[in-house]
Amino acid sequence: PNASAVSPGGSFRVEGGALPGPISVFRQADNVVVLQVQAGDWGWSPDGDRILISQVSGTLPNQLEQYWLYDLSGGATSTPIWSTASTLWGSTRLRFSEDGAVFLFAGLAFNSQVQLQSLEVASGALLTTSFTFYTPPGDLDDDSNPEVAGWGFGPDPTRIAYGYTTGQAGVTRVLANAHTDVKRGPHYTPGAERAYCSPRGDDCAG
């Protein structure tokens, strides 16, 4: 997420001292504070209407991470629209769709299990799933990592596609719909390196 002081589009700005520490989010039009929180780090959604807050506690290798997502479009708030528990993650991946309408989180626990959530902000529809890698990936946020077969939004960002290794020569690929929590393996060709989606993203082929 974008971490500029002024949000994309210029509707909000963040003020605060050194991190970790308190930050205040102001609405630019009237200089009203819409959010005050403690933050270890933060970043904007592409449309500038949401802000992602993170905090860490403890020290490595037992450092805990926690995340909160706030929607600022409705005015002052103190309640996140999405959050995680304080967890010891091996690595994490946080992404917004290009229009900022959908947020994707993936966290790798030290038991090689990935927890994945996709939130459609407007409807509140939340896809939650988990899976275990055959070989634990080093970093979920590294697109060049061969153990992560792929992650991405479809043409309709409420559809996400992801893949992961399940064996020495096996990859599981899934197309998921945030509206209905449907997870299915569509028409992929084994060994294919790319997935191509229909214009709406209801189906993909490898």
Side-chain angles (χ1 to χ4, degrees):
N2 186 327
S4 299
V6 177
S7 66
S11 296
F12 304 96
R13 75 178 186 277
V14 168
E15 292 187 3
L19 298 176
I23 64 169
S24 297
V25 182
F26 291 81
R27 187 167 52 214
Q28 294 277 72
D30 53 12
N31 212 37
V32 168
V33 175
V34 293
L35 179 67
Q36 290 182 305
V37 292
Q38 293 284 328
D41 203 356
W42 57 271
W44 299 109
S45 63
D47 59 4
D49 284 340
R50 281 155 287 284
I51 187 169
L52 180 68
I53 305 294
S54 68
Q55 282 191 355
V56 297
S57 59
T59 57
L60 294 173
N62 298 311
Q63 194 172 73
L64 302 176
E65 302 175 46
Q66 192 167 10
Y67 299 92
W68 299 264
L69 182 64
Y70 293 88
D71 186 2
L72 308 175
S73 61
T77 182
S78 60
T79 304
I81 59 172
W82 172 89
S83 63
T84 67
S86 186
T87 304
L88 181 65
W89 296 111
S91 65
T92 57
R93 182 172 192 146
L94 304 103
R95 291 287 190 277
F96 286 99
S97 59
E98 290 185 3
D99 60 2
V102 180
F103 174 72
L104 174 69
F105 168 83
L108 172 66
F110 284 95
N111 61 359
S112 303
Q113 185 176 74
V114 171
Q115 296 182 25
L116 184 146
Q117 293 188 323
S118 176
L119 172 71
E120 185 190 26
V121 174
S123 68
L126 181 67
L127 162 73
T128 300
T129 188
S130 62
F131 48 87
T132 301
F133 278 84
Y134 173 73
T135 302
D139 185 354
L140 288 185
D141 211 26
D142 181 3
D143 288 317
S144 65
N145 187 342
E147 301 300 341
V148 179
W151 311 75
F153 294 98
D156 176 343
T158 63
R159 276 69 168 175
I160 61 170
Y162 60 91
Y164 54 95
T165 56
T166 53
Q168 290 181 333
V171 174
T172 293
R173 295 180 174 93
V174 180
L175 179 67
N177 183 340
H179 283 297
T180 59
D181 200 37
V182 170
K183 299 176 286 291
R184 61 190 178 92
H187 309 297
Y188 286 112
T189 302
E193 295 182 356
R194 292 183 179 272
Y196 300 91
C197 293
S198 64
R200 182 170 167 75
D202 289 318
D203 203 2
C204 294

